[in-house]
Amino acid sequence: MEGWDPNTKSALTQIPLLSIKAGPRDGAAWTQRLKEEYKALIAYTGMNKSNDNDWFRISAANSEGTRWTGKCWYVHNLLKYEFDLQFDIPVTYPLTAPEIELPQLDGKTHKMYRGGKICLTVHFKPLWAKNCPRFGIAHALCLGLAPWLAAEIPILVDSGMIKHKDDSASSSES
Amino acid sequence: MDVELKEMLDDLQALKRSLPDPSHQASIDKLQVHVEHLTNLAQYAPARRSKVKDMSAEVVDSNPYSRLMALQRMGIVENYERIREFSVAIVGIGGVGSVAAEMLTRCGIGRLLLYDYDKVELANMNRLFFRPEQVGMTKTDAAVQTLSDINPDVVLESYTLNITTVQGFETFMSSLRKKTFRPKKEGSGVDLVLSCVDNYEARMVVNQACNELNQTWMESGVSEDAVSGHIQLLIPGETACFACAPPLVVASGVDERTLKREGVCAASLPTTMGVVAGLLVQNTLKFLLKFGHVSPYLGYNALKDYFPTMEMRPNPQCSNASCLERQKEYLLAKPARDAAAKAKMEAEALVVAECPIHVDNEWNISVVDDSELDRTDGRSSDALPEGLTHELPTADEFEKQPTPETTFNSVDDLDDLRRQLDALNAD
């Protein structure tokens, strides 16, 4: 965990760890895991709100809890940039992490695989592997997506690749 | 078309003769040259060859298999034509998978199953196989289009799906089990699965499927910096599975700090991918047609032209439950394997004339069989040969799971939890 900022570190320590090693094909054990996922997500979301650092919404898109959709946002220069967020729980979960997708940014940055999957190889995958099965969706958002947004969104905004939603009118005037 | 062009030529000839004015002669000659050129081009217009019933060894220009059947006459392969009985599944039709598919198609493989969910893009054109006019097609469709033109004898099945999703995985598994091509085949419906995917998640999925089906498979990979690659043979229970140890990568051999990782996620070269596809299909042919030595692991370091090899035993503490089952089965089958090996040795001994290899043995040198010792020791992959490193760390040991009663807090109903999160999401 060297090199991580203190805020991420302290957030991470407060997200409950998971214990059940089960994926979507494991029947009842998956239901137990899903409960742990919810508890971690509830704790993390609650924590973000109380720290005035609310930055995502996520909920299961199907009853099996294998597909998740929501929103995430990042504030840069006092403007809020919001994106759709989605991912599938892979059959080999939790051995392999979910591949987090921001479909609206597909093709706008090199640090992304096809379909809008954000690149997690260097900063996140080793951590996930090391902490299997204790890390869950909440940890993937905290350690995978949050640093990615912090690194990429300012660059994308400054280079003009993405525009603020209120900005389209004003930019054409100037 | 041929006929039309011929008539046009004749007409031009007649026109030339009937025209009294010689000033048009030059332009008519020019027209004539163009028509002749068109006639030549027309000869190469796509004409699909018909299917071939039996592979012939006859050396004629029109036999697509003569050079392959020559492998038999040269004593390399005992029975080349067996290749038509084999089914190979290729997962990932990208820079490596598409080239591997073309190689197997040209070799006259019986049946190919192709899996990919992606589309062809212009960004793929730095690699082999796909053509610019195929941009926008699914990789599986584009591959079937090209491969069926190259060799209509091959049975092609394409599956446009993502095997890492729950639904995709079910389809993947059932397609591998299906035995319509060769109903009498033992085990699954395919002889070999080739993993040509570009990420760890998909490899773990192929590993899961093959462990469950007790299916031998080969792994292939090219590093993100495009200058190294590897192939690996995985026989469930017998060799390390993909989850037995963190994946190996060929070390770049240059100072890692000098490698730039910022900016892009992956580079690729047609050369490295072609080399790895070639190594993969070579190993496949040796495995299927039973010739030469089938490599358990072969790395390729392009910067130093270094090819490390190694063997990996399965990890008795592997995290994959199916892998542990296959390991148990493999151990149980040991007496049968020994008996078969002994019978084979005896059969060979009968052929070789019975005489001592060395008449005197002044130093009392004896040969000790140590292969079985290696097999039984639990060492899997801690000691790596030079030039190889692990890609990911192993999971830290963690305390035995505390009993559920102590960890579950007051709320332990999935619907309640879901409602709680929804409530948080609402404001």
Side-chain angles (χ1 to χ4, degrees), chain B residues 114-333:
Chain B
L114 309 170
Y115 303 85
D116 206 302
Y117 66 92
D118 234 343
K119 287 191 169 143
V120 180
E121 292 177 354
L122 270 182
N124 303 139
M125 293 307 139
N126 71 321
R127 278 153 272 175
L128 307 175
F129 191 73
F130 291 117
R131 299 188 305 266
E133 65 267 27
Q134 292 175 320
V135 166
M137 291 176 80
T138 63
K139 287 186 175 173
T140 46
D141 284 350
V144 167
Q145 184 187 56
T146 306
L147 297 175
S148 60
D149 269 349
I150 291 173
N151 188 344
D153 297 333
V154 180
V155 177
L156 297 165
E157 286 177 27
S158 73
Y159 298 90
T160 311
L161 49 82
N162 180 354
I163 59 162
T164 66
T165 63
V166 177
Q167 207 186 3
F169 186 75
E170 293 305 320
T171 316
F172 179 48
M173 289 284 278
S174 60
S175 67
L176 292 178
R177 282 200 199 97
K178 203 176 66 190
K179 286 208 260 194
T180 42
F181 181 68
R182 193 151 57 100
K184 277 179 282 176
K185 188 188 172 297
E186 278 177 40
S188 76
V190 299
D191 296 277
L192 190 68
V193 174
L194 300 181
S195 162
C196 304
V197 297
D198 62 358
N199 63 84
Y200 173 71
E201 289 73 21
R203 284 184 179 95
M204 288 295 274
V205 171
V206 177
N207 186 63
Q208 180 69 35
C210 290
N211 276 340
E212 286 182 25
L213 295 170
N214 197 10
Q215 172 64 54
T216 300
W217 63 290
M218 284 186 205
E219 204 308 275
S220 70
V222 174
S223 64
E224 296 211 321
D225 58 13
V227 288
S228 66
H230 71 271
I231 61 160
Q232 184 179 349
L233 170 72
L234 297 102
I235 308 172
E238 188 178 336
T239 69
C241 90
F242 200 73
C244 276
L248 289 173
V249 287
V250 179
S252 59
V254 296
D255 188 347
E256 294 277 341
R257 280 163 300 175
T258 65
L259 293 178
K260 273 195 133 100
R261 292 195 193 280
E262 300 305 310
V264 284
C265 259
S268 66
L269 278 172
T271 46
T272 314
M273 295 208 155
V275 168
V276 170
L279 294 174
L280 179 69
V281 176
Q282 195 80 292
N283 222 33
T284 300
L285 292 174
K286 290 195 284 185
F287 172 80
L288 293 175
L289 296 170
K290 302 201 167 26
F291 66 97
H293 169 75
V294 184
S295 282
Y297 183 98
L298 178 59
Y300 168 49
N301 174 337
L303 295 182
K304 294 192 163 179
D305 277 340
Y306 174 58
F307 293 81
T309 58
M310 69 175 301
E311 254 176 276
M312 267 192 294
R313 297 286 127 230
N315 177 359
Q317 276 110 43
C318 181
S319 60
N320 187 300
S322 307
C323 173
L324 295 181
E325 270 173 54
R326 297 292 95 80
Q327 288 188 41
K328 220 183 285 167
E329 287 166 14
Y330 183 76
L331 278 179
L332 286 175

Side-chain angles (χ1 to χ4, degrees), chain B residues 345-382:
Chain B
M345 289 254 289
E346 277 167 2
E348 278 169 8
L350 280 177
V351 177
V352 181
E354 292 263 346
C355 76
I357 302 166
H358 304 286
V359 182
D360 50 359
N361 187 0
E362 193 182 342
W363 307 103
N364 282 320
I365 295 168
S366 63
V367 179
V368 179
D369 178 23
D370 59 0
S371 61
E372 282 298 316
L373 287 175
D374 271 354
R375 280 195 177 266
T376 45
D377 86 24
R379 177 189 71 94
S380 51
S381 56
D382 295 341

Side-chain angles (χ1 to χ4, degrees), chain B residues 55 79-86 107-110 285 289:
Chain B
M55 277 191 175
N79 181 1
Y80 189 84
E81 211 174 343
R82 278 200 70 196
I83 200 160
R84 302 188 87 163
E85 295 170 18
F86 297 127
C107 284
I109 193 84
L285 292 174
L289 296 170

Side-chain angles (χ1 to χ4, degrees), chain A residues 18-21 24-25 31-32 34-36 38-39 41-43 45-46 49 54 56-60 62-66 68 88-92 95-97 99 110-114 117 119 121-122 125-127 129-134, chain B residues 117-119 121 124 139 162-166 169-170 173 199-201 204-205 208 212 224 243 261-266 319-320 391-398 401-402 407-409 411-414 417-418 420-427:
Chain A
L18 290 73
S19 67
I20 291 160
K21 195 177 149 192
R25 292 169 71 236
T31 310
Q32 291 304 317
L34 211 49
K35 287 179 194 170
E36 293 189 327
Y38 272 110
K39 284 173 195 166
L41 276 171
I42 289 164
T45 312
K49 287 187 178 214
D54 201 16
F56 70 87
R57 290 282 174 273
I58 194 79
S59 55
N62 58 7
S63 55
E64 301 84 22
T66 58
W68 294 72
D88 286 294
I89 300 293
V91 281
T92 43
L95 230 50
T96 59
E99 297 181 276
H110 289 297
K111 296 202 177 173
M112 191 167 249
Y113 295 104
R114 214 144 315 112
K117 290 174 180 165
C119 179
T121 316
V122 177
K125 295 283 173 74
L127 268 179
K130 217 171 156 59
N131 289 284
C132 169
R134 285 163 292 175
Chain B
Y117 66 92
D118 234 343
K119 287 191 169 143
E121 292 177 354
N124 303 139
K139 287 186 175 173
N162 180 354
I163 59 162
T164 66
T165 63
V166 177
F169 186 75
E170 293 305 320
M173 289 284 278
N199 63 84
Y200 173 71
E201 289 73 21
M204 288 295 274
V205 171
Q208 180 69 35
E212 286 182 25
E224 296 211 321
R261 292 195 193 280
E262 300 305 310
V264 284
C265 259
S319 60
N320 187 300
E391 187 186 3
L392 290 170
T394 26
D396 289 341
E397 281 298 313
F398 71 105
Q401 293 170 9
T407 52
F408 289 131
N409 59 26
V411 189
D412 193 40
D413 178 72
L414 195 55
L417 287 163
R418 195 172 288 146
Q420 246 182 63
L421 183 64
D422 285 345
L424 273 171
N425 281 342
D427 52 59

